[in-house]
Amino acid sequence: MLSENTLSFLSKLQKNNSKEWFDKNRALYDEAKQDFENLVEQLIAMIGKDDEEISLLKPKDCTFRINRDIRFSKDKTPYKTNMGAYIVRGGKKSAYAGYYFHCEPGKSFVGGGLWMPQPAELKKVRQEIDYCWDEFKGIVQNKKFTSVYGDLSRDAEYTLAKVPRDYDKDNPAAEYLKLKSLVGLHNVADNDVTSKALVKN
């Protein structure tokens, strides 16, 4: 579970997103950061029971910095208003599919899959979906999967308007071949984020 203080810090940061405020409240940030890393450590231990590659990770391998990259952004606020961790073989910069936890007041979620892979990796994934359509369909249309995730995310920003040119528009996997990210997402309410059952759930 996460402390309510962690959500409180992120809520305050949303309203006071400036270096001056952050510097004055660094102790609150350090406390929230440690709390989040403790949660990530628990998640690594749990997932690592079934995936030895994950068990080798440390929280620092998975968690993202709170500083925003503002070099090419119109939004110049210096800090993210969330804490995130990508728990994946090889660490957060890995090209492999993995597990993601996003903590943000009113907008927390868990997810899994492959987010915005490089073109060469995405081409391989699409090829495997095409070759193994029945197996893939059996996963994403399985009741256990759909009861939690519904379907893979179809955010317009990460979906092509047309089927990639290597595939026929009538391909049975067409809607999945259009995806530039292949992720399942599930929203988590604030009271579930601070619940003792968070890791188990």
Short mmCIF file of all heavy atoms in Angstrom, two decimals, residues 53-84:
data_model
loop_
_atom_site.label_atom_id
_atom_site.label_comp_id
_atom_site.label_asym_id
_atom_site.label_seq_id
_atom_site.Cartn_x
_atom_site.Cartn_y
_atom_site.Cartn_z
N GLU A 53 13.77 -13.05 -13.98
CA GLU A 53 14.42 -11.84 -14.49
C GLU A 53 13.98 -10.60 -13.69
O GLU A 53 14.76 -9.71 -13.43
CB GLU A 53 14.09 -11.64 -15.98
CG GLU A 53 14.63 -12.72 -16.90
CD GLU A 53 16.08 -12.51 -17.26
OE1 GLU A 53 16.66 -11.48 -16.88
OE2 GLU A 53 16.66 -13.41 -17.91
N ILE A 54 12.70 -10.58 -13.31
CA ILE A 54 12.16 -9.46 -12.53
C ILE A 54 12.76 -9.45 -11.13
O ILE A 54 13.05 -8.39 -10.57
CB ILE A 54 10.62 -9.54 -12.45
CG1 ILE A 54 9.99 -9.43 -13.84
CG2 ILE A 54 10.06 -8.47 -11.52
CD1 ILE A 54 10.23 -8.12 -14.56
N SER A 55 12.97 -10.62 -10.56
CA SER A 55 13.47 -10.70 -9.18
C SER A 55 14.86 -10.08 -9.02
O SER A 55 15.27 -9.76 -7.91
CB SER A 55 13.50 -12.17 -8.72
OG SER A 55 14.50 -12.89 -9.41
N LEU A 56 15.58 -9.89 -10.11
CA LEU A 56 16.92 -9.30 -10.06
C LEU A 56 16.91 -7.78 -9.98
O LEU A 56 17.94 -7.15 -9.75
CB LEU A 56 17.72 -9.74 -11.30
CG LEU A 56 17.86 -11.25 -11.52
CD1 LEU A 56 18.54 -11.51 -12.86
CD2 LEU A 56 18.64 -11.90 -10.38
N LEU A 57 15.74 -7.18 -10.20
CA LEU A 57 15.64 -5.73 -10.27
C LEU A 57 15.64 -5.06 -8.89
O LEU A 57 15.26 -5.67 -7.89
CB LEU A 57 14.35 -5.33 -10.99
CG LEU A 57 14.21 -5.75 -12.45
CD1 LEU A 57 12.78 -5.49 -12.94
CD2 LEU A 57 15.21 -5.02 -13.33
N LYS A 58 16.04 -3.80 -8.87
CA LYS A 58 15.94 -2.94 -7.69
C LYS A 58 14.95 -1.82 -8.05
O LYS A 58 14.77 -1.49 -9.22
CB LYS A 58 17.29 -2.33 -7.33
CG LYS A 58 18.39 -3.35 -7.09
CD LYS A 58 18.13 -4.16 -5.86
CE LYS A 58 19.26 -5.15 -5.61
NZ LYS A 58 18.89 -6.16 -4.60
N PRO A 59 14.33 -1.17 -7.05
CA PRO A 59 13.40 -0.09 -7.34
C PRO A 59 13.98 0.99 -8.26
O PRO A 59 13.30 1.49 -9.15
CB PRO A 59 13.05 0.47 -5.96
CG PRO A 59 13.16 -0.73 -5.06
CD PRO A 59 14.34 -1.50 -5.61
N LYS A 60 15.26 1.33 -8.07
CA LYS A 60 15.87 2.38 -8.90
C LYS A 60 15.93 1.98 -10.37
O LYS A 60 16.00 2.84 -11.25
CB LYS A 60 17.26 2.73 -8.39
CG LYS A 60 18.28 1.62 -8.56
CD LYS A 60 19.66 2.04 -8.09
CE LYS A 60 20.70 0.92 -8.33
NZ LYS A 60 22.04 1.32 -7.89
N ASP A 61 15.89 0.66 -10.66
CA ASP A 61 15.90 0.19 -12.04
C ASP A 61 14.56 0.44 -12.74
O ASP A 61 14.49 0.39 -13.97
CB ASP A 61 16.19 -1.32 -12.10
CG ASP A 61 17.52 -1.70 -11.49
OD1 ASP A 61 18.48 -0.92 -11.64
OD2 ASP A 61 17.60 -2.77 -10.85
N CYS A 62 13.53 0.67 -11.94
CA CYS A 62 12.16 0.70 -12.46
C CYS A 62 11.47 2.06 -12.36
O CYS A 62 10.55 2.34 -13.12
CB CYS A 62 11.30 -0.32 -11.71
SG CYS A 62 11.99 -1.98 -11.69
N THR A 63 11.87 2.88 -11.40
CA THR A 63 11.15 4.12 -11.14
C THR A 63 11.68 5.27 -12.00
O THR A 63 12.86 5.32 -12.33
CB THR A 63 11.25 4.51 -9.65
OG1 THR A 63 12.62 4.52 -9.25
CG2 THR A 63 10.47 3.53 -8.79
N PHE A 64 10.75 6.17 -12.33
CA PHE A 64 11.09 7.31 -13.18
C PHE A 64 11.34 8.57 -12.33
O PHE A 64 10.77 8.74 -11.26
CB PHE A 64 9.95 7.59 -14.17
CG PHE A 64 9.77 6.49 -15.17
CD1 PHE A 64 8.80 5.52 -14.99
CD2 PHE A 64 10.58 6.41 -16.29
CE1 PHE A 64 8.62 4.49 -15.90
CE2 PHE A 64 10.42 5.39 -17.22
CZ PHE A 64 9.45 4.43 -17.02
N ARG A 65 12.20 9.43 -12.85
CA ARG A 65 12.48 10.70 -12.18
C ARG A 65 11.22 11.56 -12.17
O ARG A 65 10.39 11.49 -13.08
CB ARG A 65 13.58 11.45 -12.92
CG ARG A 65 14.90 10.73 -12.93
CD ARG A 65 15.93 11.44 -13.79
NE ARG A 65 16.36 12.69 -13.18
CZ ARG A 65 16.28 13.89 -13.75
NH1 ARG A 65 15.78 14.04 -14.96
NH2 ARG A 65 16.70 14.97 -13.13
N ILE A 66 11.09 12.42 -11.18
CA ILE A 66 9.93 13.29 -11.11
C ILE A 66 10.11 14.54 -11.97
O ILE A 66 9.15 15.21 -12.34
CB ILE A 66 9.60 13.67 -9.64
CG1 ILE A 66 8.14 14.16 -9.55
CG2 ILE A 66 10.60 14.70 -9.10
CD1 ILE A 66 7.54 14.08 -8.19
N ASN A 67 11.34 14.84 -12.33
CA ASN A 67 11.61 16.00 -13.19
C ASN A 67 11.10 15.74 -14.60
O ASN A 67 11.33 14.67 -15.16
CB ASN A 67 13.11 16.29 -13.24
CG ASN A 67 13.67 16.62 -11.88
OD1 ASN A 67 13.87 15.72 -11.07
ND2 ASN A 67 13.92 17.87 -11.62
N ARG A 68 10.42 16.71 -15.17
CA ARG A 68 9.93 16.61 -16.55
C ARG A 68 11.02 17.06 -17.52
O ARG A 68 11.80 17.96 -17.21
CB ARG A 68 8.70 17.49 -16.76
CG ARG A 68 7.48 17.05 -15.99
CD ARG A 68 6.27 17.93 -16.27
NE ARG A 68 5.89 17.85 -17.68
CZ ARG A 68 6.02 18.85 -18.55
NH1 ARG A 68 6.50 20.02 -18.17
NH2 ARG A 68 5.66 18.68 -19.80
N ASP A 69 11.04 16.47 -18.71
CA ASP A 69 11.91 16.94 -19.80
C ASP A 69 11.13 18.03 -20.53
O ASP A 69 10.19 17.74 -21.28
CB ASP A 69 12.24 15.78 -20.74
CG ASP A 69 13.20 16.20 -21.83
OD1 ASP A 69 13.50 17.42 -21.94
OD2 ASP A 69 13.65 15.33 -22.61
N ILE A 70 11.50 19.27 -20.30
CA ILE A 70 10.72 20.40 -20.85
C ILE A 70 11.38 21.02 -22.09
O ILE A 70 10.91 22.03 -22.61
CB ILE A 70 10.49 21.49 -19.78
CG1 ILE A 70 11.83 22.03 -19.28
CG2 ILE A 70 9.66 20.94 -18.62
CD1 ILE A 70 11.71 23.20 -18.31
N ARG A 71 12.45 20.40 -22.58
CA ARG A 71 13.21 20.99 -23.69
C ARG A 71 12.34 21.25 -24.93
O ARG A 71 12.49 22.27 -25.59
CB ARG A 71 14.39 20.09 -24.07
CG ARG A 71 15.48 20.04 -23.01
CD ARG A 71 16.52 19.01 -23.38
NE ARG A 71 15.94 17.67 -23.48
CZ ARG A 71 16.57 16.61 -23.96
NH1 ARG A 71 17.81 16.73 -24.42
NH2 ARG A 71 15.98 15.43 -24.01
N PHE A 72 11.47 20.31 -25.24
CA PHE A 72 10.68 20.43 -26.47
C PHE A 72 9.18 20.55 -26.18
O PHE A 72 8.35 20.30 -27.06
CB PHE A 72 10.94 19.23 -27.39
CG PHE A 72 12.41 18.97 -27.61
CD1 PHE A 72 13.02 17.88 -27.01
CD2 PHE A 72 13.17 19.83 -28.38
CE1 PHE A 72 14.39 17.64 -27.19
CE2 PHE A 72 14.52 19.60 -28.58
CZ PHE A 72 15.13 18.51 -27.98
N SER A 73 8.83 20.93 -24.97
CA SER A 73 7.43 21.00 -24.57
C SER A 73 6.97 22.44 -24.36
O SER A 73 7.72 23.27 -23.84
CB SER A 73 7.24 20.21 -23.26
OG SER A 73 5.92 20.34 -22.79
N LYS A 74 5.72 22.71 -24.75
CA LYS A 74 5.14 24.02 -24.49
C LYS A 74 4.84 24.19 -23.00
O LYS A 74 4.84 25.30 -22.48
CB LYS A 74 3.85 24.19 -25.30
CG LYS A 74 4.08 24.31 -26.80
CD LYS A 74 2.76 24.47 -27.54
CE LYS A 74 3.00 24.58 -29.04
NZ LYS A 74 1.72 24.69 -29.80
N ASP A 75 4.57 23.06 -22.35
CA ASP A 75 4.31 23.06 -20.90
C ASP A 75 5.66 23.08 -20.18
O ASP A 75 6.42 22.12 -20.23
CB ASP A 75 3.52 21.81 -20.53
CG ASP A 75 3.24 21.72 -19.03
OD1 ASP A 75 3.65 22.63 -18.28
OD2 ASP A 75 2.62 20.72 -18.61
N LYS A 76 5.95 24.17 -19.51
CA LYS A 76 7.26 24.34 -18.86
C LYS A 76 7.22 24.04 -17.36
O LYS A 76 8.19 24.35 -16.65
CB LYS A 76 7.79 25.76 -19.10
CG LYS A 76 8.03 26.08 -20.57
CD LYS A 76 9.04 25.14 -21.22
CE LYS A 76 9.30 25.50 -22.68
NZ LYS A 76 10.23 24.54 -23.34
N THR A 77 6.12 23.46 -16.86
CA THR A 77 6.12 23.09 -15.44
C THR A 77 7.22 22.05 -15.22
O THR A 77 7.35 21.10 -16.00
CB THR A 77 4.75 22.54 -15.00
OG1 THR A 77 4.33 21.52 -15.91
CG2 THR A 77 3.71 23.65 -14.94
N PRO A 78 8.01 22.23 -14.15
CA PRO A 78 9.23 21.41 -14.02
C PRO A 78 9.05 19.98 -13.54
O PRO A 78 9.94 19.16 -13.72
CB PRO A 78 10.06 22.21 -13.01
CG PRO A 78 9.07 22.98 -12.21
CD PRO A 78 7.94 23.29 -13.16
N TYR A 79 7.88 19.66 -12.93
CA TYR A 79 7.74 18.34 -12.31
C TYR A 79 6.53 17.57 -12.81
O TYR A 79 5.48 18.15 -13.11
CB TYR A 79 7.66 18.48 -10.78
CG TYR A 79 8.81 19.24 -10.21
CD1 TYR A 79 8.65 20.55 -9.78
CD2 TYR A 79 10.09 18.67 -10.15
CE1 TYR A 79 9.73 21.28 -9.29
CE2 TYR A 79 11.17 19.39 -9.65
CZ TYR A 79 10.98 20.70 -9.23
OH TYR A 79 12.05 21.42 -8.76
N LYS A 80 6.69 16.25 -12.87
CA LYS A 80 5.54 15.37 -13.12
C LYS A 80 4.66 15.40 -11.88
O LYS A 80 5.17 15.54 -10.76
CB LYS A 80 6.01 13.95 -13.40
CG LYS A 80 6.91 13.80 -14.61
CD LYS A 80 7.50 12.40 -14.65
CE LYS A 80 8.55 12.29 -15.73
NZ LYS A 80 9.28 11.01 -15.67
N THR A 81 3.38 15.22 -12.06
CA THR A 81 2.48 15.19 -10.91
C THR A 81 2.04 13.75 -10.61
O THR A 81 0.98 13.50 -10.07
CB THR A 81 1.25 16.09 -11.15
OG1 THR A 81 0.62 15.70 -12.37
CG2 THR A 81 1.67 17.55 -11.23
N ASN A 82 2.90 12.80 -11.00
CA ASN A 82 2.66 11.39 -10.74
C ASN A 82 3.98 10.72 -10.41
O ASN A 82 5.06 11.29 -10.61
CB ASN A 82 2.02 10.72 -11.96
CG ASN A 82 2.97 10.69 -13.14
OD1 ASN A 82 3.90 9.89 -13.21
ND2 ASN A 82 2.76 11.60 -14.10
N MET A 83 3.88 9.51 -9.91
CA MET A 83 5.05 8.65 -9.74
C MET A 83 4.78 7.38 -10.51
O MET A 83 3.68 6.82 -10.44
CB MET A 83 5.30 8.35 -8.26
CG MET A 83 5.73 9.57 -7.48
SD MET A 83 6.11 9.16 -5.76
CE MET A 83 6.85 10.70 -5.22
N GLY A 84 5.77 6.95 -11.29
CA GLY A 84 5.58 5.78 -12.13
C GLY A 84 6.72 4.80 -12.04
O GLY A 84 7.86 5.18 -11.77
#
